[in-house]
């Protein structure tokens, strides 16, 4: 019997073939479901030197939110074409590295489910426990038949471990690293979240996050993102980025900077424009109309370019002198925690 096609995986493999030796392409893990093997790929472009800054993109952690994977694949396609002729981009990539994991949860993307093939919500799967009042959506270990199941507390899922390995290998060793994890399904505004998700305590690099926000506001005063700590909206247990950030902080924080960001695309706006989409599997999380999908696939290119420039020229926002950092932290506390 012929296997059902997997368009997102096929597109990723086609891009990798098109890039050829201009990229490094590896299978970092393989998961099995219903007699089929699903690879988890990591693709890197740019310098392989250990001391260059790194910008990484992750998608498909929640399989139902596959628009995140599609945005990353669209960006990869653009980069692939630009590399043929854009000398400035090639110069940038000689001084930095881009890392891509578009399909962290391939079984979930393939099946159209939030969880992986074992019923585990990967963004509730780390050992991090939340502080304060939580709800069912914050994560539960009652049953995989209920949503937001955290899985076995003694061991993280293979997909979550694969993501952590890529972050450890490519981002932890970098002098400056930014991660962008793409999701959809919350609110009518696009949000750019930073830690913490598990607690409302201001995280140690708050001053840098605030400085980056101020720089983005200055450069693109008409942007449409709401930039804030994730805990401003809700608190969860098991967040992978809290887990990785705390791990990084224990090891390297005094010498390096690691900034994990979550791009939460406000899909409720798409639903409000077409309420009947609520009755379709992807309707709450994915722009179903072709013109709307095309708009989302190009919508975030400005943000991606800005982050790339910030990676190469961090002097205006990252690890500023003590006086400026203290002032940024004071303003950040006033803005987000006052």
């Amino acid at each position: 019997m012929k296997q059902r096609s997997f368009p997102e995986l096929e597109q990723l493999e086609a891009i990798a073939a098109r890039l050829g030796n201009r990229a490094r392409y590896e299978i970092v893990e393989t998961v099995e479901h219903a007699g089929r093997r699903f690879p988890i790929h990591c693709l890197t472009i740019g310098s392989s030197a250990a001391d260059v800054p790194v910008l990484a993109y992750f998608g498909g952690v929640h399989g139902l939110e596959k628009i995140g994977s599609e945005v990353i694949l669209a960006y990869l396609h653009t980069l692939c074409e630009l590399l043929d002729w854009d000398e400035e981009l090639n110069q940038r990539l000689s001084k930095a590295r881009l890392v891509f994991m578009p399909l962290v949860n391939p079984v979930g993307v393939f099946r159209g489910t939030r969880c992986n093939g074992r019923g585990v919500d990967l963004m509730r799967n780390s050992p991090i426990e939340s502080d304060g009042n939580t709800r069912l959506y914050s994560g539960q270990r009652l049953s995989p038949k209920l949503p937001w199941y955290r899985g076995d507390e003694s061991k993280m899922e293979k997909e979550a471990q694969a993501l952590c390995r890529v972050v450890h290998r490519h981002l932890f060793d970098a002098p400056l690293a930014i991660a962008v994890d793409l999701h959809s399904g919350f609110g009518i505004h696009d949000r750019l979240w930073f830690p913490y998700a598990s607690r409302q305590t201001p995280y140690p690099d708050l001053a840098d996050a605030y400085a980056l926000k101020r720089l983005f506001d200055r450069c693109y005063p008409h942007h449409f993102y709401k930039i804030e700590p994730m805990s401003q909206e809700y608190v969860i247990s098991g967040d992978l980025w809290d887990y990785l950030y705390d791990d990084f902080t224990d090891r390297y924080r005094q010498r390096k900077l690691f900034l994990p960001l979550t791009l939460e695309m406000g899909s409720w706006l798409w639903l409000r424009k077409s309420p009947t989409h609520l009755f379709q599997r992807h309707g709450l999380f994915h722009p179903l109309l072709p013109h709307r999908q095309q708009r989302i696939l190009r919508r975030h290119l400005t943000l991606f370019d800005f982050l790339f420039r910030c990676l190469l020229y961090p002097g205006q926002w990252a690890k500023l002198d003590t006086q400026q950092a203290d002032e940024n932290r004071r303003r950040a506390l006033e803005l987000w925690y006052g």
Side-chain angles (χ1 to χ4, degrees):
M1 181 182 295
K2 184 178 179 180
Q3 287 189 327
R4 178 182 145 204
S5 66
F6 191 167
E8 293 82 11
L9 179 59
E10 292 164 7
Q11 186 179 353
L12 174 58
E13 291 173 341
I15 291 171
R18 174 80 170 79
L19 283 166
N21 60 11
R22 295 176 298 180
R24 277 87 60 199
Y25 185 61
E26 62 176 321
I27 296 176
V28 294
E29 185 59 89
T30 301
V31 293
E32 296 188 14
H33 179 75
R36 182 168 177 173
R37 295 170 63 83
F38 293 84
I40 302 175
H41 295 284
C42 176
L43 189 151
T44 61
I45 306 174
S47 173
S48 58
D51 60 348
V52 299
V54 176
L55 175 58
Y57 292 91
F58 301 84
V61 173
H62 292 145
L64 197 58
E65 302 168 19
K66 67 173 185 170
I67 186 61
S69 299
E70 293 175 357
V71 168
I72 295 174
L73 291 170
Y75 182 42
L76 267 170
H77 172 85
T78 297
L79 290 174
C80 185
E81 297 300 323
L82 289 173
L83 282 169
D84 284 343
W85 59 271
D86 189 334
E87 295 180 10
E88 193 267 342
L89 175 61
N90 280 278
Q91 289 174 357
R92 280 202 227 176
L93 287 169
S94 70
K95 299 180 289 186
R97 181 162 59 254
L98 300 181
V99 178
F100 300 90
M101 285 187 75
L103 298 168
V104 175
N105 177 11
V107 174
V109 175
F110 179 74
R111 296 170 62 217
T113 60
R114 178 183 175 91
C115 60
N116 70 357
R118 288 162 40 86
V120 177
D121 184 329
L122 298 178
M123 201 45 73
R124 306 291 189 276
N125 187 226
S126 86
I128 293 287
E129 299 295 336
S130 62
D131 292 339
N133 294 327
T134 57
R135 303 290 185 269
L136 182 66
Y137 58 73
S138 299
Q140 53 84 21
R141 285 201 167 97
L142 300 173
S143 169
K145 295 181 180 179
L146 296 173
W148 307 293
Y149 178 58
R150 297 187 59 192
D152 186 346
E153 62 182 330
S154 66
K155 186 178 181 181
M156 291 168 63
E157 295 294 296
K158 292 176 71 174
E159 299 92 336
Q161 291 185 51
L163 184 152
C164 291
R165 285 199 302 273
V166 167
V167 171
H168 279 99
R169 186 190 316 161
H170 291 288
L171 281 75
F172 275 20
D173 287 339
L176 169 62
I178 302 173
V180 186
D181 183 17
L182 281 75
H183 291 257
S184 64
F186 181 84
I188 61 174
H189 299 290
D190 290 344
R191 286 171 163 82
L192 200 58
W193 283 331
F194 55 84
Y196 284 119
S198 58
R199 49 199 182 274
Q200 295 182 323
T201 306
Y203 90 121
D205 291 311
L206 185 66
D208 299 298
Y210 178 80
L212 186 68
K213 175 198 182 308
R214 285 293 302 274
L215 187 59
F216 193 41
D217 291 344
R218 280 172 46 201
C219 296
Y220 301 99
H222 307 296
H223 73 78
F224 40 77
Y225 299 98
K226 185 175 182 182
I227 304 173
E228 61 185 359
M230 183 175 170
S231 60
Q232 293 281 292
E233 302 298 340
Y234 53 82
V235 173
I236 66 172
S237 294
D239 184 86
L240 292 175
W241 298 111
D242 280 14
Y243 172 70
L244 286 164
Y245 177 80
D246 284 349
D247 187 15
F248 174 87
T249 301
D250 290 342
R251 303 185 193 201
Y252 305 113
R253 181 176 171 260
Q254 298 304 318
R255 295 181 286 114
K256 305 176 183 180
L257 176 63
F258 169 46
L259 178 60
L261 300 172
T262 296
L263 172 55
E264 183 79 15
M265 290 173 273
S267 62
W268 295 358
L269 180 63
W270 316 331
L271 183 64
R272 189 171 70 180
K273 291 181 177 180
S274 305
T276 57
H277 289 179
L278 184 61
F279 301 103
Q280 302 184 47
R281 175 182 289 272
H282 287 94
L284 186 59
F285 305 96
H286 194 274
L288 298 181
L289 298 178
H291 74 276
R292 195 164 293 147
Q293 183 178 7
Q294 291 171 2
R295 185 184 307 135
I296 301 305
L297 294 182
R298 63 177 182 264
R299 182 179 178 95
H300 304 289
L301 292 177
T302 297
L303 172 65
F304 294 172
D305 182 69
F306 171 78
L307 291 176
F308 199 172
R309 293 176 186 275
C310 287
L311 189 78
L312 292 170
Y313 306 105
Q316 290 293 312
W317 68 277
K319 293 294 183 184
L320 301 175
D321 65 78
T322 302
Q323 183 177 353
Q324 185 59 61
D326 288 346
E327 177 62 16
N328 283 338
R329 185 173 178 83
R330 183 190 67 78
R331 292 183 179 184
L333 291 170
E334 211 171 71
L335 174 64
W336 288 311
Y337 299 94

